[in-house]
Amino acid sequence: MNRAVLQVLLAGVAAVALGAAPPAGEEHFFEVRARKFEYEPHVLRVNRGDRVRIRLLSEDVAHGLYVDGYDLNVVANPGEDGSLTFTADRTGRFIFRCSVTCGEFHPYMIGHLKVEPNTPFFTYAALLLVLGAGILAITAVRRRREA
Amino acid sequence: MSESSPTQEQAAAPEPAKEKERLFGLLDLDARFDLTRFRLIRALLKSRWMPLALILFNTFMFMIILVATLLGGFSAGNYNFGIMLVWILWWVLLMFVLVPVFARAWCLMCPFPIFSDWFQRRRLINIGEEPKKPWGLNRRWPKWLKNMWLMNVLFLVTTFFSGFLTVRPFATFVLLGSVILAAFIVGLVYEKRSFCLYLCPVSGFQGLYSQFAAAEIRRKDDAICKAHKKKTCFIGNEQGHGCPWLLMPFKFEKNTYCGMCLECFKTCPHDNMAFNLRPFGADLLVDTKLESKGLDEAWKAFIMLGIAVVFYLGFQGPWGFMKDMIRGTTLPGFLSYIAFHTVFCLAVIPGVFLAFCWLSKLASGNREVPLKKVFTGFAYTLIPLGLGVWVAFSFGIILPNGSYLLHIASDPFSWGWNLFGTANFPWTPVLTGYLPHLQGIAMLLFYLFSVDYGTKLARRIYPEPAQAKRGFVPILAALTAVTFLFLWLYMG
Ligand code: SF4
Ligand code: SF4
Ligand SMILES: [Cu+2]
C-alpha cells in the first residue's frame, strides 16, 4: 500500500519535472469534422511545446471551435473551412467548445485538447493521495498513542 | 470560538457522543453564532413581510420565466431567458451558495407553493385575531411515505429528461408548470407543506445537502421551550402559522425538513428561535430517534453522485453518441440511457459502496454491528463529497455559459429589446482555462470534509475506538477512490 502510494507520488513529481522540461516541438495537424453535436476526432493529443494546426470542417451547419485556456476561436461554415495554428505551451486537458449556436445541444458540443504531460491532473491526484496517506498515518499514530 | 478544557484530549471516551468534537480538530462543532442578536435581523425575521417579500419577487420572476419558456417553444435554449435563469443562474446559485451555506434558503423564498399556502390559509399576509380553520381537505400524509423515497424517484425521473429540460424552453415550461400545479393540487388534499416535505423534486437534495450547510434555525434554550406548555410554534397563534413543515421547532435537530419559512420566529412568544451560523456539516452526526439516519437519505446521496457522473459523461464530456442518447435521437438510445442511468444510480453505486462497508466491518473486527448500520452511517460521508462534485460540476456550467445571462437580461422574450444595453453582448467564456483547477480544488476541499466526518461517524458506528479506526480505513479508500474518479473525469 505505502509502496504504491510512494510510486504514484514519484510519478507525480516526475510529471511536474517533465512539465518544466524543454518543449519537444513537434508539429501536429488535425482535421476536425464538426457536426451536431460532436467533433471528430473529439480528443486531440499533443505534447507541450508542439505546434498544433487544426483544420475545422463543418458537415452540417456553422460551427465554431473555442479552446479554453488558449482563448482561441475559429469558425467553419459548410464548405468553408476554418483553420487555427498555435503552440501548445500550457499543459493540461482543455475543453474546446462550439462557439456558434448550432442547435439545441450547442452548449454541450465539446471536445478535449490534451497537452501532455497533464500536470494539473497529476498534481491534484498526487495531492489527493498525499492527503489520504497523511490521514491514514495520523490515524495509525493516534491509535498507537491511545493503545 | 468557545474555550476548551485542557484535559479533554486525554479523557478516555467510552461515550463518544459526550466528547467535545471539533471540525478538523479545530472548530468546536457545537459553536454557534446566532444572527438574531442583531436587532435588525431579529425584526426582519419576525416581520410578516419576510420571507413573503422575497417570495413575491420570485413569483414575479417565475411568471416571466414561464412566459419566456412558453414563447421560446422548441428553439435552442441558450438564448432563452427561462432556460438560462433556471439552469444557469438558479441551479448554480443553489449548488454554490444557497444549499451548501444557507441550507434550505431557496425554500425560504420559493414561489412554487404560494398558491397552495394562500388557499389553505385563506390569506396571504396577516394572521388576524384568530387563526382561521384551513381550507382544503387537510389530510395527513400517509405514514409509510414520510421519507425521501418518493422524492428520490421523482428526482431521478426528472433527470431522465434533462437532455430536453436544459435545452428546450417548452420542456422547462412543462416542468415548472407541473411543479407549481402539483404543489397547488397536493395542497388541496394534504395538510400544509406536504408537497414540499415529500414530493417536490428539488426538495430532496436540498434537504440532504442542507445537513452540511453552515446555517440552521433552532431553538435557543431548551428550558424555555419545556416551560412553554402551549407550543405555539407548532399550533400557530395570532402572530403566525404553526410550522408549515410539520416540524416541532422546540425539538428538531436536523436541517433536512426545516423549510426556513421563519414562521416559528413569529409564533414564539419568548423569542426563543435562533438563526445560527455554525461549522459546516454539523447535522451529519445527528442520529436521534425522531430524526434517525435512514436508507432513503443514503440513496439520495448515491443518486446525486450517480447523476453527476452521468451528467458529466453526457453533457460535459466529448462523446457525441452519449449526447444523442440523452437528447433522444432514437428511442432505443434514449431508453438505454434511462436504463443505464437508473441502474447505475440505484444499484451500481450503492452496490460498490456496500462492498466497501463490508470491508469496513471486516477490518473493524466487530462482528456484532449490523452491516446495515455501517452502510447507512457511512453513506453520510458522501454528502460533503457529493456537494463538492456538484460545486465542481457547476463551475463547468457557469464559467462557459454565464455571459448568456447578460444577453437574456436585456431581451427576455427575444422581442429585440435592449433593456440594459447588453442584448448584443457576445458569448464570452470566463476563466475557463482555470476550470480544471477550480474543480480540483473543490474536490479536494470537500474530500477533506468527508474524511473528517467519516472518522467521526466511524466512532458512532463502532463502539470501540480501535475498531472505529480500523473500520474507517476501507471507507477512507472509498472516499479517496470517488474523489480520484471525479478528478479524472474533470481533468484527466
Ligand atoms: S420544497 Fe420545493 S416547492 Fe417547497 S419550498 Fe422547497 S423548492 Fe419550493
Ligand atoms: S422550524 Fe418550521 S416554522 Fe420554523 S423555520 Fe423551520 S419550517 Fe419554518
Ligand atoms: Cu456547434
Side-chain angles (χ1 to χ4, degrees), chain B residues 117-118 121-128 130-132 241:
Chain B
D117 278 358
W118 197 351
R121 297 170 178 176
R122 301 155 66 185
R123 58 178 82 66
L124 197 55
I125 308 172
N126 285 325
I127 301 299
E130 288 216 351
K132 293 186 196 169
H241 305 280

Side-chain angles (χ1 to χ4, degrees), chain A residues 34-37 39 61-64 98-103 106 109:
Chain A
R35 64 172 164 265
K36 289 169 152 187
F37 297 95
Y39 297 101
V61 296
H63 291 284
C98 186
S99 54
V100 179
T101 302
C102 56
H106 155 70
M109 182 163 168

Side-chain angles (χ1 to χ4, degrees), chain B residues 16 39 43 54 78 100 147 162 184 206 225 273 275 297 304 335 355 359 449:
Chain B
R39 205 158 9 121
L54 296 176
N78 53 320
N147 49 50
S162 44
F184 181 70
Q206 288 192 79
C225 287
M273 292 308 290
F275 197 113
E297 294 185 4
M304 291 308 290
L335 293 179
L359 286 175
F449 277 106

Side-chain angles (χ1 to χ4, degrees), chain B residues 104 106-107 110 112-113 179 193 195-196 200 202-203 206 245:
Chain B
R104 277 194 192 257
W106 167 253
C107 295
C110 174
F112 305 151
V179 169
R193 290 289 189 97
F195 173 81
C196 295
C200 171
V202 279
S203 181
Q206 288 192 79
W245 291 66

Side-chain angles (χ1 to χ4, degrees), chain B residues 87 91 95 151-163 166 201 204-205 209 299-316 326 337-338 340-346 349-350 386 389-390 393 397 485-486 489-490:
Chain B
W87 302 115
W91 183 258
M95 285 305 185
M151 288 192 287
N152 285 350
V153 174
L154 283 174
F155 187 67
L156 187 67
V157 170
T158 310
T159 64
F160 293 167
F161 304 100
S162 44
T166 62
F205 75 84
Y209 285 156
W299 247 267
K300 184 84 220 174
F302 301 138
I303 291 173
M304 291 308 290
L305 269 189
I307 293 174
V309 174
V310 173
F311 275 18
Y312 174 80
L313 294 176
F315 293 115
Q316 294 189 0
I326 290 191
Y337 151 65
I338 290 180
F340 168 79
H341 184 29
T342 309
V343 172
F344 184 68
C345 291
L346 297 184
I349 296 189
V389 163
W390 279 99
F393 186 85
I397 301 179
L485 171 82
F486 278 98
L489 281 180
Y490 288 142

Side-chain angles (χ1 to χ4, degrees), chain A residues 6-75:
Chain A
L6 203 70
Q7 274 171 4
V8 176
L9 275 183
L10 284 178
V13 171
V16 174
L18 275 177
E26 268 179 58
E27 174 142 344
H28 286 275
F29 173 68
F30 297 101
E31 198 174 88
V32 179
R33 295 172 179 276
R35 64 172 164 265
K36 289 169 152 187
F37 297 95
E38 68 177 330
Y39 297 101
E40 204 47 62
H42 50 259
V43 181
L44 312 181
R45 255 175 236 277
V46 300
N47 290 312
R48 187 192 148 116
D50 288 352
R51 288 292 288 167
V52 184
R53 279 202 306 131
I54 293 174
R55 181 160 154 229
L56 183 69
L57 298 109
S58 163
E59 296 192 339
D60 41 31
V61 296
H63 291 284
L65 190 156
Y66 169 89
V67 189
D68 281 6
Y70 285 83
D71 200 20
L72 297 166
N73 189 27
V74 62
V75 173

Side-chain angles (χ1 to χ4, degrees), chain B residues 217 233 241-249 252 257-265 267 273:
Chain B
I217 288 172
C233 58
H241 305 280
C243 178
W245 291 66
L246 303 165
L247 276 181
M248 290 176 267
F252 77 102
Y257 293 107
C258 166
M260 296 196 141
C261 69
L262 309 179
E263 288 296 335
C264 50
F265 287 91
T267 48
M273 292 308 290

